[in-house]
Amino acid sequence: MIFASIFLMGCSLEKSEGESAVQQPVELVIRASQGGATRAMENVDDVIEVGAELAPAADNSTRTELGPATDTEQPIFWSCYYDEKEGKEVADQIMVWAEPAVSPQEWTFAQTVFSLAHFNHDYHSADFTATVANTMDRDYDYTYYAIYPSPKSRNKQGVESAVSGITLNGTEVTYTLSANQSGEYNPAYDIMWGEVSGAALVERDGSGSIEVWRQPELRMKHLLHMMRIRVPERRNLLGRDVKRLEITFPQAVVGGTAKVNVKTGEVVWSGQSNKVTIDLPDENLLNANGRYVWVHIKPEVLNGEISFQVYDSAGLPAAEIKSASINKTLFAGRITPVDLTIPSSPYGEGAGLKFIVEKNNLGEQLSNIILSADGYTFIKPFTTDIVSANSISLTPDNNSPQTFTVTVIGNPSSLGISYISAHASIQNRTIPLSTTDTKFEDTTIKVLDTPLQISKMNQAKMVVPYLFYEDFSNVKGFSYNDNVNGDTFSTDVSGTSLESIAGLPGWTGARCGASAGKAIRVDIRTEAAGILGTARYAGRLDSPKIQNISSAVNVMVSFNWAFANDDTKHTHYAAWGYHSTSGVIGGKKTGGALQSPDGNTTLSNPITSGITIVGGSYDDISQYTSYIIKNCPNNTYRLAWDVYSHGRTVGNSDAWLYLDNIKVSIAN
């Protein structure tokens, strides 16, 4: 991250030794340097000191700090490196314009991309080449203008492409800068401009060396100011690595755009902010010892107070730091050093949590979540004004996928969580902060891949629940008049609550049963005695009311089902739908002595009826169906299933509708 020698020795480009050249007709060479081998530091007397308190030395002895005298100037070089991801060499490029002195308004060439061909005796100077259609007259002098970074890039095949963040319009180049920076030297923000008058450019010979006599040299000027920040030894009272640094300036000097006039080098600044956010890429600013944070800013007169806010990797803030009021000119092409003392945090240590929505079963995106844990303090990471005891409401950081970040002071083993969306509010669930497999309805995940780390930002997975879900994984085995295996011939159609006998709060049923931990079923019994009559004993199942809806919305109901019988002498049917009747609802007896009417569904609002036998059992429930309930209000509708039969053939039969994996979500 040190703003220094930006080149790789492994690059295949070569240095020039000034050899003679055999000319090629179209590949021209221009030399460019960065205005001297180094970029001067501000005078050491102008170092901005922020704080002065020292942390105790580890060995209780005096320790020598790095002195500014060793950092009075900062080398900057043209760069060439090998991009392993792209599998190719990447070299600096500049864009050049040339106009003849005899006709200064007529371009010999314009907006031409020159690529670094090789370095010279020192790496701040290099030769750049480009293939130019217009030949240059050696009897004339020319004025050359150059800009860096180039608004266009050119590959080895000569194909040019636009560079993101740079707009080219004639002889105006507009650079988009960011108020969110990495703290590293970023060549995209080190805007340079150069102008030189001189002879026509020479051509590159066939062997690759470059003729250099009479060659004009562009001396590039840096157009931005740099601030170099370090934390001297024993000046980090927070005692933890720094992840984010926020700086608020008295004037607007960061981000926005810089529009450069290529012919004059003048810059028009627009849209700057007075605050920069620096997210360090590798969390390693504890005590600098040569490690710096670099900030690219607009040249300006700073008059007022600069404030600094530091956060650790968990997002916990240190106390705010304010410098003394200053009046200082930030010149282009110069660097202002800042020695920063980081104060301690008023909150102690905590764990950062970034929840990522792994799966959303609700059916619509969350507007916020509420996290809670008694006795713990919650902080919105990387802020100083959202602090809450026992619980906190969080809005999403982004939506694809949705993420929510929080910092908890301490080390809780689990958190309470509520999920809020435009039409739903699912309250008082629990999310363990664990690396073990945890079942969230129909999904099993590890919330954490590694144990919770203090003073770090931990990645955590989240599954948003359904409005309603029942997979009967905790159901107790029971039989309530459902003629188990045909050995018992109950004709009872009375209803009952299933809370105590099945462990299903809110459910009621008639002629029903369950296999422990598997599924539930409902029975229809038919007894036909010819002219003496046919009796049908139909059962039903009714769910709890659909809750967790904050405003009426269309919902989708889905479930797995199977439908089997023990005899085919009668025709058996199933139906399902919904209703708003509360309490226990019994089944229905149809027919009897000297009566043989066919049965029908007893559901008040059936969605589907007339479903026929498909086979199945508690271990084979493979059919699937879904339907929509429009404008479903909260705590009003119950889901319902019943069974019935037709036919009068003498004999008895039973049929069972099996149900599993019942889900209700918002329909989009």
Side-chain angles (χ1 to χ4, degrees):
M1 196 166 89
I2 300 176
F3 188 51
S5 305
I6 317 160
F7 66 90
L8 296 185
M9 297 304 293
C11 183
S12 65
L13 306 181
E14 299 176 354
K15 286 190 177 183
S16 169
E17 299 299 336
E19 304 92 333
S20 61
V22 178
Q23 294 184 350
Q24 293 182 351
V26 292
E27 190 175 12
L28 302 182
V29 179
I30 191 166
R31 175 161 293 175
S33 62
Q34 297 195 28
T38 62
R39 195 172 170 182
M41 291 291 248
E42 297 286 9
N43 188 286
V44 295
D45 294 334
D46 291 330
V47 172
I48 299 176
E49 285 283 351
V50 183
E53 183 179 359
L54 295 179
D59 55 2
N60 297 317
S61 63
T62 300
R63 299 179 64 180
T64 303
E65 297 183 14
L66 292 175
T70 62
D71 296 291
T72 56
E73 52 186 21
Q74 184 66 62
I76 301 177
F77 301 101
W78 295 115
S79 73
C80 171
Y81 66 94
Y82 185 80
D83 189 323
E84 294 185 359
K85 183 177 180 180
E86 297 292 332
K88 62 181 181 182
E89 288 176 355
V90 178
D92 271 332
Q93 295 181 329
I94 59 176
M95 181 170 280
V96 182
W97 289 252
E99 61 180 8
V102 295
S103 182
Q105 300 304 316
E106 296 181 6
W107 297 114
T108 303
F109 58 82
Q111 300 183 358
T112 302
V113 179
F114 279 67
S115 298
L116 192 153
H118 69 223
F119 299 106
N120 295 304
H121 294 287
D122 50 40
Y123 285 92
H124 83 281
S125 175
D127 289 335
F128 293 74
T129 65
T131 300
V132 178
N134 302 59
T135 57
M136 305 192 77
D137 193 327
R138 292 183 179 274
D139 293 331
Y140 296 143
D141 279 352
Y142 294 81
T143 301
Y144 303 92
Y145 308 94
I147 194 78
Y148 173 89
S150 172
K152 296 180 181 179
S153 64
R154 190 188 72 225
N155 63 20
K156 289 186 176 181
Q157 290 70 43
V159 178
E160 293 187 354
S161 58
V163 175
S164 176
I166 309 177
T167 303
L168 175 63
N169 183 17
T171 56
E172 288 185 338
V173 181
T174 301
Y175 294 88
T176 299
L177 309 174
S178 178
N180 294 285
Q181 300 182 17
S182 68
E184 297 179 304
Y185 167 74
N186 187 345
Y189 292 170
D190 192 7
I191 304 170
M192 292 184 280
W193 171 85
E195 174 191 8
V196 67
S197 295
L201 300 182
V202 297
E203 299 169 0
R204 185 174 183 173
D205 70 16
S207 66
S209 64
I210 297 175
E211 193 177 44
V212 297
W213 66 280
R214 297 182 64 225
Q215 180 175 323
E217 181 173 352
L218 285 160
R219 291 192 174 272
M220 306 295 287
K221 298 178 181 179
H222 299 270
L223 302 183
L224 269 70
H225 186 86
M226 295 285 291
M227 182 170 281
R228 187 211 71 181
I229 303 168
R230 71 168 183 168
V231 180
E233 189 74 21
R234 296 169 55 206
R235 296 266 291 271
N236 184 348
L237 307 183
L238 182 65
R240 303 189 289 275
D241 285 339
V242 174
K243 176 59 180 174
R244 177 175 291 183
L245 173 63
E246 294 173 347
I247 308 171
T248 303
F249 296 95
Q251 281 75 42
V253 293
V254 294
T257 61
K259 182 187 293 185
V260 182
N261 186 308
V262 170
K263 294 199 70 172
T264 65
E266 294 179 350
V267 184
V268 176
W269 301 89
S270 178
Q272 275 66 49
S273 166
N274 70 332
K275 182 177 180 179
V276 62
T277 299
I278 302 163
D279 281 311
L280 302 175
D282 57 1
E283 309 175 351
N284 191 27
L285 187 68
L286 182 63
N287 289 300
N289 292 332
R291 169 70 183 269
Y292 302 116
V293 173
W294 294 94
V295 188
H296 304 71
I297 55 181
K298 167 190 171 184
E300 183 64 273
V301 176
L302 284 186
N303 186 3
E305 191 173 63
I306 306 175
S307 66
F308 297 80
Q309 183 64 63
V310 172
Y311 301 89
D312 71 9
S313 298
L316 280 176
E320 186 181 29
I321 321 159
K322 289 185 179 292
S323 73
S325 182
I326 65 169
N327 189 343
K328 178 181 177 63
T329 300
L330 307 182
F331 292 101
R334 292 181 67 85
I335 297 169
T336 295
V338 176
D339 284 352
L340 181 64
T341 296
I342 301 175
S344 60
S345 171
Y347 304 107
E349 289 188 306
L353 286 162
K354 181 177 182 179
F355 287 100
I356 302 171
V357 175
E358 186 86 354
K359 185 180 181 184
N360 187 335
N361 294 323
L362 180 59
E364 69 180 6
Q365 288 196 319
L366 298 173
S367 58
N368 62 291
I369 63 173
I370 300 172
L371 297 174
S372 61
D374 289 343
Y376 290 89
T377 298
F378 294 89
I379 296 178
K380 178 63 178 173
F382 305 110
T383 64
T384 59
D385 57 350
I386 304 178
V387 181
S388 179
N390 301 320
S391 68
I392 190 170
S393 178
L394 302 172
T395 56
D397 306 309
N398 53 64
N399 283 320
S400 186
Q402 286 198 300
T403 60
F404 301 83
T405 53
V406 70
T407 301
V408 186
I409 308 302
N411 188 8
S413 59
S414 65
L415 297 175
I417 183 169
S418 297
Y419 308 85
I420 315 297
S421 72
H423 297 94
S425 178
I426 302 175
Q427 302 287 328
N428 302 323
R429 304 295 177 92
T430 299
I431 185 167
L433 302 179
S434 169
T435 58
T436 60
D437 286 338
T438 303
K439 189 173 186 292
F440 295 91
E441 298 178 333
D442 59 355
T443 304
T444 298
I445 61 169
K446 291 179 173 67
V447 174
L448 299 174
D449 290 329
T450 58
L452 189 67
Q453 298 183 69
I454 301 299
S455 299
K456 297 292 183 182
M457 185 59 66
N458 300 266
Q459 300 281 338
K461 301 182 187 71
M462 176 195 298
V463 176
V464 183
Y466 294 94
L467 281 173
F468 175 84
Y469 178 81
E470 183 57 71
D471 66 355
F472 302 104
S473 57
N474 295 314
V475 72
K476 301 175 186 177
F478 76 97
S479 175
Y480 184 76
N481 303 317
D482 67 332
N483 290 353
V484 178
N485 299 324
D487 296 332
T488 302
F489 303 111
S490 171
T491 57
D492 189 346
V493 294
S494 64
T496 185
S497 167
L498 302 185
E499 181 168 4
S500 61
I501 65 173
L504 296 173
W507 284 82
T508 65
R511 300 190 63 83
C512 55
S515 178
K518 290 185 178 181
I520 199 168
R521 75 178 184 180
V522 59
D523 170 74
I524 168 68
R525 169 75 172 176
T526 305
E527 297 179 351
I531 61 173
L532 297 178
T534 301
R536 310 176 197 278
Y537 306 95
R540 64 180 291 150
L541 284 165
D542 298 272
S543 77
K545 291 181 178 180
I546 301 172
Q547 298 183 352
N548 303 315
I549 297 173
S550 55
S551 61
V553 65
N554 295 349
V555 300
M556 184 177 76
V557 179
S558 67
F559 54 90
N560 292 106
W561 61 277
F563 195 22
N565 57 15
D566 65 356
D567 200 297
T568 60
K569 59 174 61 74
H570 306 118
T571 304
H572 303 98
Y573 298 101
W576 42 75
Y578 64 96
H579 62 82
S580 59
T581 303
S582 300
V584 174
I585 305 173
K588 182 179 180 182
K589 176 185 177 183
T590 302
L594 304 178
Q595 301 178 49
S596 300
D598 286 334
N600 286 294
T601 180
T602 62
L603 302 184
S604 59
N605 187 23
I607 292 291
T608 301
S609 59
I611 299 297
T612 56
I613 296 295
V614 296
S617 67
Y618 280 125
D619 297 312
D620 179 15
I621 306 176
S622 58
Q623 302 296 316
Y624 171 85
T625 196
S626 65
Y627 61 87
I628 301 294
I629 301 177
K630 293 185 176 181
N631 296 316
C632 181
N634 186 52
N635 199 31
T636 301
Y637 291 144
R638 303 172 71 186
L639 310 181
W641 298 260
D642 76 350
V643 284
Y644 55 99
S645 71
H646 290 179
R648 301 167 181 82
T649 303
V650 175
N652 304 324
S653 67
D654 283 273
W656 298 274
L657 174 66
Y658 295 86
L659 300 173
D660 199 5
N661 301 321
I662 301 166
K663 306 169 185 176
V664 181
S665 58
I666 294 172
N668 287 320

